[in-house]
Amino acid sequence: MYSAGRECFFLVVCGLISRSLQTVLIGILTDIDMLFNVTKTMCMYFAYHRLRLLDVPQLRMYGSTLEYVSFVNYLGYFITPNLSDDQAMQSQIRSLYARANSLIRGFRHCSVEVKRILFSSYGTSLYCAQLWSDYSMGVISKLRVAYNGALKLLLGVSRQSSTSQLFANNRLDTFDAKL
């Protein structure tokens, strides 16, 4: 169980959370004057590859059945039952394109040096990239294309120009260097 101020959720591993464990948790929280908000409390089922339950147990709290979710956005990071980072990376792709478009709109008349500094400040930050460990090659390829394309669009060079030469000439880290 995790608590982040306004959100609580149970991580149900193989459905092996017993009613007695749930009672103990509620008892401990009652002792420290902490209550669960039943509408914000959610459950996630992590299936073990050798044991998959056909009937996931319904958890009840304060007379209400808790909702099972397919993913949780916890402190800006997506947690999924298969522990894949693809959804978090897709979010970073959208964020990178949004930041690049706002830089292009706001600073299209600035010099290349100003655009380089802006890209190194705003375009190169990938939130939680250090935590990514399980992802598909297709998603990492899309993120690399977004990173390289954002710099090319910001600097106004053609998409066919050499990416490595562009990063070297502007003294910027490449995508692989960032990860």
Side-chain angles (χ1 to χ4, degrees):
M1 178 196 64
Y2 294 95
S3 173
R6 63 179 184 84
E7 296 176 338
C8 289
F9 59 94
F10 284 106
L11 303 177
V12 181
V13 181
C14 299
L16 301 177
I17 184 166
S18 65
R19 304 273 185 245
S20 60
L21 177 60
Q22 187 178 358
T23 305
V24 168
L25 286 172
I26 292 174
I28 291 171
L29 293 174
T30 304
D31 290 344
I32 61 172
D33 292 330
M34 184 176 172
L35 295 174
F36 280 107
N37 184 340
V38 181
T39 59
K40 293 182 180 179
T41 302
M42 57 196 85
C43 300
M44 183 180 293
Y45 174 66
F46 289 87
Y48 181 60
H49 68 282
R50 293 185 183 166
L51 173 69
R52 295 201 189 275
L53 296 178
L54 297 177
D55 186 27
V56 179
Q58 290 296 320
L59 298 178
R60 297 182 63 78
M61 186 171 293
Y62 306 125
S64 298
T65 303
L66 297 179
E67 173 190 8
Y68 278 88
V69 294
S70 59
F71 71 92
V72 173
N73 187 349
Y74 184 69
L75 299 177
Y77 190 77
F78 290 98
I79 301 172
T80 58
N82 62 0
L83 298 177
S84 171
D85 297 318
D86 289 348
Q87 195 164 8
M89 293 173 79
Q90 289 284 357
S91 173
Q92 286 303 306
I93 291 170
R94 286 188 300 274
S95 175
L96 183 59
Y97 277 126
R99 284 182 302 207
N101 284 333
S102 71
L103 288 176
I104 291 166
R105 276 193 316 270
F107 300 97
R108 79 182 87 120
H109 299 296
C110 291
S111 68
V112 172
E113 182 62 23
V114 170
K115 291 178 182 180
R116 185 189 70 78
I117 293 169
L118 286 169
F119 183 79
S120 66
S121 298
Y122 296 105
T124 61
S125 60
L126 300 172
Y127 185 68
C128 291
Q130 295 79 12
L131 299 177
W132 297 339
S133 61
D134 183 25
Y135 48 83
S136 66
M137 294 307 294
V139 175
I140 195 77
S141 177
K142 288 178 185 177
L143 186 58
R144 181 179 288 110
V145 168
Y147 186 83
N148 296 340
L151 180 63
K152 288 179 180 181
L153 288 172
L154 181 63
L155 295 180
V157 298
S158 72
R159 294 191 67 84
Q160 289 79 24
S161 64
S162 171
T163 303
S164 57
Q165 183 180 4
L166 186 63
F167 279 102
N169 290 345
N170 288 293
R171 298 182 308 279
L172 292 169
D173 289 334
T174 62
F175 178 76
D176 294 325
K178 278 297 190 188
L179 291 184

